């Protein structure tokens, strides 16, 4: 495990939901964080909150469906902070639309944010991590990476493909000491995404997103020798951390 204090994280989807809690957790762990999101106002509010607590964070407003803008956002973060210890691609959108009703443009946008974002973000930091022989990359997984769900015409294939990308990059990253893993939530989480899409049945066992955040600080500190090519469960990892901390007093 690597000490993450003073190290750099690039995080997407930071403005609200799970991403905002991950940002708070990484900052609490002493990391400097490039916060990327398409929602400028909410990103600015989070930046003010974190900076008022003394954190070193850089907000970057970017639409991750746009590969050119995404690569430029990473360049901005690299120029400001240098090579990140961890890249966490957390942003996603979920639209439930049948094949009859979806347009190619809307289908493509969802896949571009989930899978295209994972590719462009990783491609943009990869050579830097290779040179550093150090890095951890985490993509947000989901039950939709393993199973099909009604009307998830783009989200489910996007999450499945992201899992495949992780497996391939983990093989390539091993010789460069770059860990590449995915993190499922393990539980439904109470966020804007679940508010707008989940049925009562899907909300069974729902937890606040802050409950999962420790798992991301944990993965920020792993290298390929410890774990790569794995699909972690954020709820289980975070619970294990919580119990260990409680036992330690
Ligand atoms: N909510 C759940 O129960 C649940 C379950 C399984 C997996 N997940 C995954 O966890 C992650 C976080 O989910 P959440 O519930 O916090 O989602 P959310 O919708 O609450 O938040 C997503 C964040 O991503 C940002 N984002 C969306 N499109 C963007 C774009 N084009 N460019 C830049 N940023 C963009 C949003 O502005 C927002 O800040 C996602 O990858 C999601 O698929 C969530």
């Amino acid at each position: 495990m690597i000490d993450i204090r003073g190290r750099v994280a690039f995080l997407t989807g930071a403005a609200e939901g799970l991403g905002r809690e991950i940002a708070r957790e990484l900052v609490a762990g002493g990391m400097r964080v490039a916060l990327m999101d398409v929602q400028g106002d909410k990103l600015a509010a989070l930046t003010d909150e974190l900076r008022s607590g003394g954190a070193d964070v850089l907000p970057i407003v970017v639409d991750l469906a746009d590969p050119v803008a995404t690569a430029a956002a990473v360049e901005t973060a690299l120029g400001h902070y240098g090579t990140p210890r961890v890249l966490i691609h957390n942003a996603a959108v979920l639209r439930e639309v049948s094949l009859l009703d979806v347009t190619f443009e809307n289908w493509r946008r969802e896949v571009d944010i989930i899978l295209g974002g994972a590719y462009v973000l990783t491609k943009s930091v990869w050579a830097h991590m290779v040179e550093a022989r150090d890095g951890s990359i985490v993509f947000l997984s989901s039950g939709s990476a393993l199973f099909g769900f009604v009307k998830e015409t783009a989200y489910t294939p996007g999450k499945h493909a992201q899992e495949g990308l992780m497996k391939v990059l983990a093989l390539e990253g091993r010789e460069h000491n770059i860990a590449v893993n995915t993190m499922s939530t393990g539980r439904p989480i109470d966020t804007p995404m679940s508010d707008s899409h989940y049925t009562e049945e899907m909300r069974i066992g729902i937890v606040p997103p802050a409950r999962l955040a420790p798992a991301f600080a944990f993965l920020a500190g792993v290298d390929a020798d410890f774990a790569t090519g794995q699909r972690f469960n954020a709820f289980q990892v975070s619970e294990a951390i919580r119990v260990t901390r409680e036992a330690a007093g």
Side-chain angles (χ1 to χ4, degrees), residues 191-215:
T191 64
M193 180 182 283
S194 51
D195 279 352
S196 45
H197 294 286
Y198 284 18
T199 61
E200 279 310 306
E201 193 182 12
M202 292 163 84
R203 295 176 70 85
I204 292 170
I206 201 162
V207 294
R211 188 101 172 255
L212 308 189

Side-chain angles (χ1 to χ4, degrees), residues 12-19 36-39 62-65 89-93 109 113-114 140-143 155 159 184-185 187-194 198 206 209:
T12 72
E16 65 182 352
L18 178 59
M36 302 183 196
D37 206 286
V38 72
Q39 299 191 74
V62 59
D63 179 358
L64 295 163
H89 180 36
N90 160 75
V93 290
R109 180 172 169 79
I113 294 165
I114 297 170
L140 252 296
S141 192
S142 164
Y155 183 85
K159 290 290 185 182
S184 70
T185 59
R187 287 285 185 96
I189 43 174
D190 203 358
T191 64
M193 180 182 283
S194 51
Y198 284 18
I206 201 162

